[in-house]
Amino acid sequence: MSRIYEIDFPKLVRLLMPPRLRKMRHVAWLLALCNPVNYLYQQFRRNRDANLYRLKITPQVVYLERLLNDRYDISQRRIKISDGMIYEPVFLYQEIEQKPVYLWQEAENKPLYLYTEEEVGSNPVSFYVFTPRNLYFDENEMGALINNYKLAGKTYKIQRA
Amino acid sequence: METVDIKPHQCLLDIAMQTKGGIDTLFAFAGANELSITDNLVPGKYLLVPDVEVTDRRVFQYLRDNKIFPANAFTAEDDAAIKGGIGYMGIQIDFRVS
């Protein structure tokens, strides 16, 4: 990538001076004069880096995960995204319908999973954002962040794993 | 593209001066060589010369006729004279916090 925006202002000031005038006090004075420019330049650089980061994030799973982990779980990176799955719904009937659904004991090892509306309903979500249980974040804020980057029309659910 | 050899103690400003007569072309040089305008150059290597007009023909001609190679790069002695370093630097002034 082009490095044209990387300017070392203190060094540039010295390079623009004739070598015989590059005395400590003189250079310090010029650096003081250049300080506002340098300050603006640092702001520009930060803004540019932030914009480049924004542009790098796409709705691809890896990038969304990266974005969320950078924002909420920078060290352990435990936030995961997985596709919405479509499950067979389990119906529970009334007694009169005579279709018993048995719940087994744990030792019998015949698990029965009950899913939520989003998982089996007519509008299943496109993807899940799994966050660790002990991570504290503002769900609305995270939602806004995902909305910013996700593809139009995709639905999601933030779920604590 | 034309190239120019780097002599010892030359910086990008000197190269621009030597080949185009002025430092107006500095950013064209930086762009053509993918350098920052304040990068240290390695003597003995060469740089690409961008296809831009000579900005000051008199300076260019004078330097070429008298075989003058400007070499005003920052040296270790300069560094020592100016005394930068720990204790003299300021956060957000000399280095970036991001």
Side-chain angles (χ1 to χ4, degrees), chain A residues 1-19 22-24 27-28 31 35 38-39 41-43 45-46 49, chain B residues 11 13 23 26-28 30-31 34-40 71-75 78-79 81-84 88 92-98:
Chain A
M1 194 154 62
S2 172
R3 301 186 53 229
I4 205 141
Y5 293 109
E6 289 173 28
I7 300 171
D8 182 348
F9 270 97
K11 194 170 171 187
L12 183 66
V13 165
R14 287 162 204 175
L15 287 178
L16 283 169
M17 294 262 288
R22 286 179 198 165
K23 296 289 182 290
M24 183 183 160
V27 170
L31 281 180
N35 194 37
N38 198 13
Y39 176 70
Y41 168 70
Q42 302 296 351
Q43 284 188 331
R45 277 294 300 275
R46 243 171 295 149
D49 288 352
Chain B
C11 60
L13 291 89
I23 59 169
L26 190 58
F27 284 97
E34 302 220 333
L35 287 169
S36 154
I37 59 168
T38 49
D39 272 350
N40 288 325
N72 298 313
F74 209 56
T75 59
D78 281 325
D79 240 347
I82 284 149
K83 284 206 182 76
Y88 292 88
Q92 294 292 349
I93 299 163
D94 292 306
F95 44 87
R96 221 149 56 85
V97 179
S98 58

Side-chain angles (χ1 to χ4, degrees), chain A residues 18-160:
Chain A
R20 77 174 72 168
L21 291 180
R22 286 179 198 165
K23 296 289 182 290
M24 183 183 160
R25 191 174 282 234
H26 199 159
V27 170
W29 178 62
L30 288 173
L31 281 180
L33 294 183
C34 281
N35 194 37
V37 180
N38 198 13
Y39 176 70
L40 285 176
Y41 168 70
Q42 302 296 351
Q43 284 188 331
F44 164 73
R45 277 294 300 275
R46 243 171 295 149
N47 182 260
R48 181 170 188 270
D49 288 352
N51 286 339
L52 287 177
Y53 181 80
R54 271 184 65 95
L55 288 176
K56 203 158 60 181
I57 305 294
T58 67
Q60 264 184 291
V61 173
V62 277
Y63 286 109
L64 268 185
E65 277 183 0
R66 178 190 170 156
L67 172 84
L68 292 172
N69 280 316
D70 279 352
R71 180 82 177 73
Y72 296 104
D73 196 13
I74 188 117
S75 57
Q76 299 193 52
R77 316 193 76 81
R78 289 166 298 179
I79 299 176
K80 292 272 177 292
I81 288 174
S82 69
D83 292 345
M85 288 166 280
I86 296 163
Y87 299 107
E88 282 291 303
V90 176
F91 294 109
L92 300 175
Y93 301 95
Q94 286 181 330
E95 199 172 353
I96 210 164
E97 292 175 285
Q98 296 270 327
K99 289 180 182 170
V101 175
Y102 295 106
L103 298 176
W104 306 85
Q105 285 184 331
E106 204 171 352
E108 293 173 287
N109 206 11
K110 287 181 185 169
L112 178 78
Y113 295 106
L114 298 175
Y115 301 106
T116 58
E117 178 78 38
E118 285 91 352
E119 287 169 310
V120 294
S122 54
N123 288 318
V125 294
S126 313
F127 63 91
Y128 288 98
V129 178
F130 289 112
T131 63
R133 197 175 294 276
N134 56 353
L135 187 74
Y136 293 98
F137 59 89
D138 183 345
E139 204 156 308
N140 292 328
E141 191 197 353
M142 187 189 266
L145 196 64
I146 299 168
N147 284 338
N148 215 348
Y149 289 100
K150 76 177 174 66
L151 279 180
K154 296 286 177 198
T155 53
Y156 64 91
K157 189 173 181 228
I158 299 168
Q159 206 156 46
R160 290 180 181 270

Side-chain angles (χ1 to χ4, degrees), chain B residues 20-57:
Chain B
K20 299 293 173 191
I23 59 169
D24 309 37
T25 55
L26 190 58
F27 284 97
F29 268 94
N33 295 287
E34 302 220 333
L35 287 169
S36 154
I37 59 168
T38 49
D39 272 350
N40 288 325
L41 301 183
V42 183
K45 292 261 170 78
Y46 63 88
L47 288 179
L48 300 173
V49 180
D51 285 329
V52 287
E53 290 271 303
V54 171
T55 47
D56 193 335
R57 199 153 282 283

